[in-house]
Amino acid sequence: MTWLDALADKAIDLAPPTREEALAVLGSSDDDLMDVVAAAFRVRRQFFGRRVKLNYLVNIKSGLCPEDCFYCSQRVGSGADVLKYSWLKTDEVLASAEAGVAGGARRVCLVASGRGPTDKDIDRVASTISAFKSRNPDVEVCACLGLLSDGQASRLADAGTTAYNHNLNTSGGHYADICTTHEYADRVSTVESAKSAGLSPCSGLIAGMGETDEDLVDVAFALRALSPDSVPVNFLIPFDGTPLAGEWTLTPQRCLRILAMVRFVCPSAEVRLAGGREIHLRTLQPLALHVVNSIFLGDYLTSEGQPGAADLAMIADAGFTVEGADAGAPPAAAPAADQVHVRRRGAGTAIPANT
């Protein structure tokens, strides 16, 4: 039995790895990468089979945030050329959310920029969620509105909200290096408040912000201590006009190791492949499905993702099934005659080759 076999066995038994084992996953070589993915897949398969849950983001208030999170394109003083608008009307939110549901999403995530909502904002969002749930009672709704004040989580729960997202993002020791307008403890407190109100806790991280392996392990264990049902793993999108614009340190292989480490630390959590996956995993995205069991469909808050149809094709081609999909439905993007293209360039023609 290898150390990875033993690590997978521990995770299946819901026993935490040691810090040394978690660091070993991050420090493993590219030669061992497929063994790392295979061990993580054993854990993923134990708790989630071959199902992939689809989630859909709706940015209901974009940009104009007073916080200075260094990674964020919506931060105060951001020079990123992203969409900026105030609260969407209820019918606009419903139209966007239901487009995601039509694409196969089992959860819609309503996200608003800002430090945190006012009570009037909570009224607005709660009303929208109630309207959505009346039309889509079987679809989960996750709210992500920033830091919560007393009683706000309970009001969201009363409106039919399923979950609340507030990411820890990085370790407590690294937090001051990525934000100065609020503290790491504020984030922990918001997750705990949401959980106490009966909302499903959703909290994750952003990798690629100049953190060390120790920081990644610290935040993974901090997340485990909070017992979130969902753990989104984001990979930094270094927007021009933000302080972290030059942070291009991730490789597809490192992203896979980070995902695997999170799976071993939080074995039964819904580990979600989130922002930046197309940019940093690139052609290795399908391998990540052997570690995670959840992804965002289509676009993100301020950046575009790959088309939803491409997501569905990737899931089918990798041998996974979309959670909640009709078992008798044909595979997405099945081979068709119109995918065969006769060569009209290169050798024997005057047109440059495809190089």
Side-chain angles (χ1 to χ4, degrees), residues 7 10-11 13-19 21-22 221 224 264-267:
L7 187 56
K10 287 175 68 172
D13 289 338
L14 297 177
T18 64
R19 284 186 56 84
E21 288 169 330
F221 275 92
R224 181 184 172 99
F264 292 130
V265 175
C266 303

Side-chain angles (χ1 to χ4, degrees), residues 31-226:
D31 288 344
D32 293 330
L33 182 63
M34 295 307 296
D35 293 330
V36 170
V37 171
F41 177 56
R42 281 187 54 211
V43 182
R44 181 241 199 271
R45 186 176 57 196
Q46 172 69 25
F47 294 103
F48 300 99
R50 301 187 74 92
R51 303 186 310 276
V52 177
K53 183 175 179 179
L54 300 182
N55 308 263
Y56 190 74
L57 280 170
V58 182
N59 193 353
I60 61 177
K61 177 175 174 286
S62 182
L64 310 173
C65 182
E67 302 299 288
D68 74 349
C69 306
F70 297 175
Y71 53 83
C72 186
S73 60
Q74 304 181 81
R75 71 189 297 272
V76 62
S78 171
D81 184 22
V82 299
L83 290 170
K84 300 178 180 65
Y85 51 82
S86 191
W87 296 93
L88 296 181
K89 296 185 175 74
T90 294
D91 59 348
E92 295 174 310
V93 176
L94 295 181
S96 293
E98 289 178 345
V101 174
R106 301 287 290 173
R107 172 180 286 193
V108 296
C109 306
L110 307 184
V111 187
S113 63
R115 179 180 177 86
T118 64
D119 286 342
K120 182 179 178 180
D121 295 333
I122 291 291
D123 289 340
R124 175 190 288 111
V125 175
S127 176
T128 298
I129 290 171
S130 294
F132 176 82
K133 290 292 288 184
S134 70
R135 294 159 57 164
N136 304 273
D138 297 329
V139 179
E140 299 174 358
V141 177
C142 181
C144 178
L145 311 174
L147 302 173
L148 294 175
S149 301
D150 290 345
Q152 291 184 332
S154 294
R155 290 165 62 193
L156 289 171
D158 291 343
T161 310
T162 310
Y164 195 83
N165 166 260
H166 201 61
N167 294 329
L168 297 187
N169 288 331
T170 193
S171 71
H174 185 53
Y175 202 81
D177 295 326
I178 65 163
C179 182
T180 68
T181 50
H182 61 265
E183 297 181 352
Y184 179 80
D186 296 323
R187 290 188 168 268
V188 174
S189 177
T190 287
V191 177
E192 291 175 336
S193 294
K195 188 174 179 180
S196 296
L199 295 172
S200 172
C202 174
S203 188
L205 60 96
I206 305 173
M209 300 191 294
E211 71 281 342
T212 64
D213 284 2
E214 288 77 10
D215 289 320
L216 287 169
V217 170
D218 283 348
V219 69
F221 275 92
L223 288 166
R224 181 184 172 99
L226 287 172

Side-chain angles (χ1 to χ4, degrees), residues 286-348:
L287 272 181
L289 295 176
H290 291 76
V291 182
V292 306
N293 63 291
S294 178
I295 67 170
F296 281 111
L297 180 73
D299 296 333
Y300 304 99
L301 296 179
T302 60
S303 64
E304 295 184 352
Q306 68 186 23
D311 289 332
L312 296 176
M314 177 179 72
I315 291 167
D317 290 348
F320 293 90
T321 59
V322 172
E323 185 174 312
D326 181 358
D338 62 5
Q339 292 176 299
V340 178
H341 303 286
V342 175
R343 180 174 65 84
R344 304 293 185 189
R345 61 193 174 197

